Amino acid sequence: MRGLTKSFGRTRVVDALTFDVRPGHVTGFLGPTGAGKSTTLQMILGLIAPDSGTALVGGRPLAAHRTPAAVAGSLLTTERMLPDLTVAGHLDWIVRLSGIAPAMRRKRIDEVLEQVGLSVSRGQRIAHLSLGMRQRLGVAAAIVSDPAVLILDEPLNGLDPEGITWLRTFLRDFAARGRTVFFSSHLLTEMALTADHVIIIRSGRLVADLSLDELRAQSQTGVSVTGPHLAPLVQSQRATGRTVTTGRTTALITGALARDVYRDSVRLGVDLDELRTLEPGLEDVFLELTRTPTPATNAEPGAHAEPATNADPAAHAAPETKDN
Ligand SMILES: Nc1ncnc2c1ncn2[C@@H]1O[C@H](COP(=O)(O)OP(=O)(O)OP(=O)(O)O)[C@@H](O)[C@H]1O
C-alpha cells in the first residue's frame, strides 16, 4: 500500500496509508470500529477505487492480474451467501468463476471441504449452517483457487473457541507455506494469538506497523521466573537496565522477552522451575495507540507506537520487594 486514500462524501476514512504485508507471515490489521479496515481491504481487492495511492498485490493491482482469484482469495462477509445453495453448490459456482479446468473442479471442491472440515456437510443447505460453519465455508471459497494471498475481514467474529482454534492453526499453516495472510480484527488479544505482525490504524491513519514481539515489548511484557537460586539471573537482568521485582523464589522481569530470560538463565547455569510470560498490558497498548492523536502528516511505521503507561506486570504478582 502506498499513500492509499479514500473519502466518502467529505469524510476521509482512509488517509495516506502506506505499509507492506509480507509473505510467510500472518499479518493482523487492527483498528477500532470505523477505523477504515474494511474500506482498505476492499480497495486492495479492487472492489472500491481509491481517491489516490495504490494497493498492489504481487506487484500490480489485483484486477490487472490475468486470474485475480488465483492470486488473492478473500472472505469479506458470509451474509451474502445464497441460503438455498448447498455447501458443495456454493463452492461449485465459485469454482466455475475461478478458471479451474472442469475436470479438476470436483476434486478441488473435495480437497478444500476436507481442509476446512466440512466434508460431512457438503450436502447441507447454507440456511442450516451455524455461523462457524459459514465462516469455514467462506474460507473454503477463499482458498478454492489456491491463491498466494488470503485477505479476510473479521474472520474471528462469531466463532466459538473451537472454530477460533481451527482458524488460527489454518492461517498459520497457510502462511508457513510461504503465502500471505492479511486479516482484520478490532480485538488485539484475539489477534495476538494468531498474527505475528500487526498493522494498526486509527481514523484511517497508520499508527503502528510492528511485530507481535515488538508490540509485547512495548506493552511492558513481564517475564516471571521461579527457582531456588535466582540471584545471578536477577543481577544479570538488572545489569541490562531492566526492572526486576523479587519474591522469595520468584522474580518478575519487566520489559523482557521470555526467550531472552531463558537464554540468560542457561548461560548462567540458573535452574528454573517455571518461566512464564505475563501480558497484562496488550489490550492497553492497543487502546493507547488508537487513542493517541496522530499528526496531520502520515507516520513512519511505528512512529507513534509509544509504550503504554498502564501496563505493570508487578501489579499481578504481589511481590515482596521491588528494586531496580
Ligand atoms: N459506502 C460507504 N459510504 C459512506 N460511508 C462509508 C461507506 N463505507 C464505509 N463508510 C464509513 O467509513 C468509515 C470506515 O468504515 P470501515 O467499514 O472501513 O471501518 P472498519 O474499520 O472496517 O470498521 P468495523 O470494524 O466496524 O467493520 C465508517 O465511518 C463508515 O461508516
Side-chain angles (χ1 to χ4, degrees):
M1 264 48 65
R2 292 291 175 270
L4 205 61
T5 300
K6 180 73 188 177
S7 297
F8 289 117
R10 300 175 71 178
T11 312
R12 188 174 284 199
V13 297
V14 176
D15 195 355
L17 270 190
T18 295
F19 61 87
D20 294 313
V21 180
R22 289 169 298 147
H25 292 270
V26 177
T27 302
F29 191 32
L30 203 63
T33 294
K37 302 181 297 293
S38 300
T39 306
T40 303
L41 296 183
Q42 290 179 66
M43 286 195 279
I44 297 170
L45 292 166
L47 302 174
I48 294 180
D51 296 335
S52 58
T54 50
L56 306 183
V57 184
R60 60 178 78 165
L62 188 59
H65 288 272
R66 197 137 53 101
T67 350
V71 177
S74 64
L75 170 58
L76 297 184
T77 172
T78 59
E79 279 163 23
R80 294 193 194 136
M81 291 175 176
L82 298 174
D84 287 333
L85 281 181
T86 62
V87 165
H90 177 75
L91 289 179
D92 189 54
W93 73 259
I94 288 173
V95 154
R96 283 167 196 274
L97 296 173
S98 69
I100 294 175
M104 298 298 295
R105 286 177 188 163
R106 167 84 197 205
K107 182 168 173 284
R108 185 65 191 140
I109 290 172
D110 290 346
E111 277 170 5
V112 293
L113 285 176
E114 178 73 31
Q115 258 180 292
V116 303
L118 280 182
S119 293
V120 292
S121 309
R122 59 176 304 130
Q124 215 166 320
R125 281 177 58 215
I126 287 173
H128 297 155
L129 298 181
S130 68
L131 181 57
M133 290 166 90
R134 280 180 197 226
Q135 293 283 59
R136 287 180 191 238
L137 180 56
V139 172
I143 61 170
V144 79
S145 303
D146 199 24
V149 178
L150 204 47
I151 295 172
L152 311 168
D153 197 5
E154 301 272 1
L156 296 166
N157 258 7
L159 285 184
D160 60 14
E162 196 244 325
I164 290 175
T165 306
W166 168 78
L167 189 64
R168 185 174 295 151
T169 309
F170 177 84
L171 296 180
R172 284 195 182 151
D173 288 350
F174 190 87
R177 285 182 278 133
R179 301 182 185 209
T180 306
V181 177
F182 190 45
F183 80 100
S184 72
S185 173
H186 55 275
L187 296 172
L188 176 56
T189 37
E190 276 188 357
M191 178 167 277
L193 296 168
T194 308
D196 48 46
H197 196 95
V198 285
I199 307 286
I200 304 180
I201 64 168
R202 170 189 168 273
S203 304
R205 291 185 183 168
L206 187 73
V207 289
D209 176 349
L210 71 187
S211 72
L212 248 296
D213 279 351
E214 289 169 321
L215 191 65
R216 288 196 175 102
Q218 294 206 5
S219 72
Q220 290 292 289
T221 300
V223 174
S224 149
V225 289
T226 307
H229 303 294
L230 297 174
L233 181 63
V234 169
Q235 213 174 4
S236 165
Q237 287 294 312
R238 282 182 181 151
T240 66
R242 293 195 177 112
T243 300
V244 184
T245 309
T246 54
R248 201 157 46 84
T249 57
T250 304
L252 202 81
I253 304 149
T254 305
L257 293 176
R259 63 165 177 260
D260 294 337
V261 176
Y262 172 72
R263 281 188 196 131
D264 212 10
S265 67
V266 170
R267 183 178 66 81
L268 296 164
V270 171
D271 286 337
L272 299 181
D273 295 322
E274 188 186 63
L275 182 144
R276 203 154 53 90
T277 296
L278 304 173
E279 296 186 72
L282 213 49
E283 204 65 46
D284 289 335
V285 177
F286 172 53
L287 291 173
E288 191 68 20
L289 286 170
T290 52
R291 195 166 39 223
T292 308
T294 49
T297 53
N298 195 34
E300 281 298 307
H304 296 279
E306 293 154 4
T309 53
N310 48 355
D312 180 9
H316 295 249
E320 289 164 17
T321 61
K322 186 164 182 173
D323 206 343
N324 275 327

